Amino acid sequence: MDSILDGDVQTVFENKDLVDSSTIVDQDRIYGRDEQLAAEARAFRDTLDGERPPDLLLYGPSGTGKTLTVKAVANKVKERAQESGIEFDFVAVNFKTMESHTLDRAVWKLGHQTARKAGVVWDVPRSGVSTDMKYTRLYEIVDDHFDSIVFILDEIDALTGSTGADEPAYSRLLYSLSRVMSEQHVDTQLSTVVVTNYPKFRENLDSRTDSSYNPNGIHFSDYDANELIEILERRRDAFKDDALEDGVIEIVAAYGAQNEGDARRAIDLLRDAGEIANRAGDPVVTQDHVRSANDSVVKNRVLEIVGGMSVQKKLSLYAAALVAKENEGAAPSPMVYDIYKILCEGSDMEIYTQETVNSHINKAGTYGVLESERSSGGFKSGVHLVFKFTEPVGAVLDTLGEDERLQEIPAKELGEVVKRRLRD
């Protein structure tokens, strides 16, 4: 133990931060996003002219560089602004990682992060204080400490708010932030950058919000395997010279391409392979290390999600996975509910409502095992969801099947039921 604590351990890493997907990197390490970087830079350029940058909407699949590029550009603008004596900064909040997806908690989180950037104390408790008071304190900090500020609102579609609300919480947040200057809450130039995997989230905006919130859209497409190779090559110096076996970057890129071109996962996988090599005392990261890392990542992600689930949540997710297995990874919620009811009847379990089942499945979405999108417009009428798995469906079914309460499920027979209904 002493040798470990003293740092006397062989490592394959030279600069491990470069394979941390949360690290803000220089633009020269970003590949395949020149058009998006240029569009973001043009928008942020207004800050250096003393003008308010336009609101931006960055949309596209997970791991395609949305947050990475905008943080890189904002960081560069911050450097330029300091040289010109302009107090500019950006505040990034990922709403998917919050423990509560309400408007009140979102405003508190924005205030907390903004106060930290301003170097002041956020003296507002999480509870016992109205949302309006949180807004007021947030705007005071913004007005007192910044000439210009950008709020990067990541995974905003997760900010759904309370069940039964007239509009999602993100609609109310965008309405307030889009009107903050016109209503003279602040003199600071305040803009928003919304980052989402679901551009259709705008369909659920309240009409007032839709009228006042008019962002410039920037689209991000999937990376292919060749682009992922280029991205990973730009992180090669995270490792010591000759610490990567030939073919390692290519196999990592191949796994990343299988995950819908997700560069973030590819970077994380390369780091995990290096850590496996370190634990084994190997001086070189091999393709076998990559394969072990990938197997471990998939298993651990799924285990993390399903391990502590109640039996009802497991039945709900199992039903979704059964449908998705026969439908190219997608599971329409009405069919999922039909299969769920069959599962409950066969297991002598209480049958919950479709709304509850959808909620159980969406809970798995907060951990990244699947995503959901509405199949029809309107916040209230959009009860028809389509669940799309981002983790291997087979791994989800296998892990759920380890629960003894689910081991008697006739998965093959139910699969045939799903196939017949899909044909119908």
Side-chain angles (χ1 to χ4, degrees):
M1 180 181 291
D2 287 340
S3 63
I4 294 175
L5 295 176
D6 292 338
D8 186 21
V9 175
Q10 178 175 280
T11 178
V12 297
F13 294 108
E14 183 68 35
N15 183 358
K16 194 174 178 181
D17 284 345
L18 292 177
V19 281
D20 183 338
S21 57
S22 65
T23 298
I24 301 176
V25 297
D26 295 333
Q27 292 183 33
D28 59 2
R29 291 188 184 273
I30 299 173
Y31 178 80
R33 291 295 178 252
D34 292 348
E35 182 180 339
Q36 290 83 355
L37 285 165
E40 292 164 1
R42 284 193 295 270
F44 276 75
R45 180 68 180 78
D46 290 343
T47 295
L48 304 179
D49 294 330
E51 299 176 358
R52 176 185 176 274
D55 295 324
L56 298 179
L57 171 61
L58 313 185
Y59 62 97
S62 298
T64 52
K66 301 184 296 294
T67 306
L68 178 72
T69 57
V70 75
K71 285 184 177 180
V73 172
N75 216 38
K76 179 62 70 175
V77 171
K78 181 178 177 179
E79 293 175 6
R80 296 283 184 87
Q82 288 175 340
E83 294 170 1
S84 302
I86 300 171
E87 292 296 332
F88 165 81
D89 215 327
F90 62 96
V91 174
V93 174
N94 187 312
F95 295 113
K96 193 171 185 178
T97 62
M98 294 196 315
E99 63 275 21
S100 173
H101 297 146
T102 63
L103 176 65
D104 186 75
R105 185 53 55 86
V107 177
W108 187 93
K109 186 71 172 180
L110 272 175
H112 181 268
Q113 297 290 82
T114 303
R116 188 164 66 176
K117 283 294 185 87
V120 299
V121 175
W122 177 245
D123 50 2
V124 179
R126 294 192 182 193
S127 58
V129 175
S130 70
T131 305
D132 283 345
M133 290 187 67
K134 293 180 174 73
Y135 269 126
T136 298
R137 180 57 180 146
L138 167 63
Y139 294 152
E140 285 176 353
I141 294 172
V142 167
D143 221 19
D144 290 345
H145 296 276
F146 303 100
D147 299 319
S148 179
I149 193 167
V150 171
F151 288 141
I152 300 174
L153 311 176
D154 205 351
E155 309 243 30
I156 196 170
D157 39 274
L159 194 61
T160 52
S162 304
T163 303
D166 291 334
E167 60 179 312
Y170 60 72
S171 176
R172 296 163 62 193
L173 178 66
L174 288 174
Y175 179 76
S176 297
L177 295 180
S178 65
R179 298 183 60 82
V180 64
M181 294 179 63
S182 64
E183 294 183 355
Q184 299 181 330
H185 293 298
V186 299
D187 292 325
T188 301
Q189 304 284 356
L190 189 152
S191 301
T192 60
V193 175
V194 167
V195 181
T196 179
N197 302 338
Y198 305 107
K200 290 184 178 181
F201 86 95
R202 294 197 65 184
E203 295 177 1
N204 295 322
L205 295 179
D206 179 80
S207 59
R208 298 178 311 155
T209 308
D210 195 41
S211 175
S212 61
Y213 173 66
N214 298 290
N216 294 345
I218 302 176
H219 177 248
F220 289 72
S221 58
D222 288 332
Y223 291 113
D224 61 29
N226 289 330
E227 289 173 322
L228 289 174
I229 288 172
E230 293 292 342
I231 289 167
L232 295 170
E233 285 288 354
R234 284 163 169 75
R235 311 281 181 128
R236 180 183 283 272
D237 53 335
F239 297 86
K240 293 180 177 179
D241 291 343
D242 301 322
L244 293 181
E245 179 184 75
D246 290 345
V248 161
I249 282 180
E250 286 76 11
I251 191 174
V252 171
Y255 280 127
Q258 290 174 10
N259 280 307
E260 300 183 350
D262 191 327
R264 183 167 54 244
R265 285 193 182 180
I267 292 167
D268 288 344
L269 179 59
L270 185 58
R271 182 197 63 237
D272 291 346
E275 290 176 342
I276 288 175
N278 278 348
R279 289 197 293 271
D282 296 332
V284 175
V285 182
T286 67
Q287 294 185 40
D288 285 341
H289 293 139
V290 175
R291 294 186 186 94
S292 296
N294 186 66
D295 292 344
S296 177
V297 165
V298 171
K299 183 177 181 180
N300 288 342
R301 278 199 300 257
V302 176
L303 282 173
E304 177 186 3
I305 295 158
V306 307
M309 279 186 170
S310 67
V311 66
Q312 277 289 341
K313 289 180 180 178
K314 288 184 176 181
L315 285 168
S316 301
L317 187 59
Y318 200 104
L322 280 172
V323 175
K325 182 181 179 182
E326 306 299 340
N327 195 36
E328 299 181 350
S333 61
M335 186 178 297
V336 170
Y337 189 59
D338 287 344
I339 299 301
Y340 160 81
K341 288 188 289 186
I342 295 173
L343 288 174
C344 288
E345 290 167 354
S347 306
D348 198 25
M349 293 283 183
E350 180 182 357
I351 297 175
Y352 286 20
T353 66
Q354 181 163 359
E355 181 181 8
T356 300
V357 171
N358 288 347
S359 176
H360 286 339
I361 299 170
N362 273 324
K363 184 65 176 177
T366 65
Y367 296 101
V369 72
L370 54 79
E371 299 169 343
S372 64
E373 60 183 25
R374 300 181 186 279
S375 64
S376 59
F379 180 64
K380 287 185 174 180
S381 62
V383 295
H384 179 181
L385 299 175
V386 176
F387 304 106
K388 295 184 178 180
F389 280 76
T390 55
E391 296 293 348
V393 174
V396 175
L397 288 169
D398 288 346
T399 307
L400 287 168
E402 293 176 4
D403 188 320
E404 61 181 14
R405 295 169 294 184
L406 278 65
Q407 288 177 355
E408 301 302 319
I409 290 176
K412 185 175 181 180
E413 290 82 353
L414 283 173
E416 293 301 320
V417 172
V418 172
K419 287 179 182 178
R420 288 197 297 272
R421 298 195 179 187
L422 285 171
R423 288 195 297 268
D424 296 339

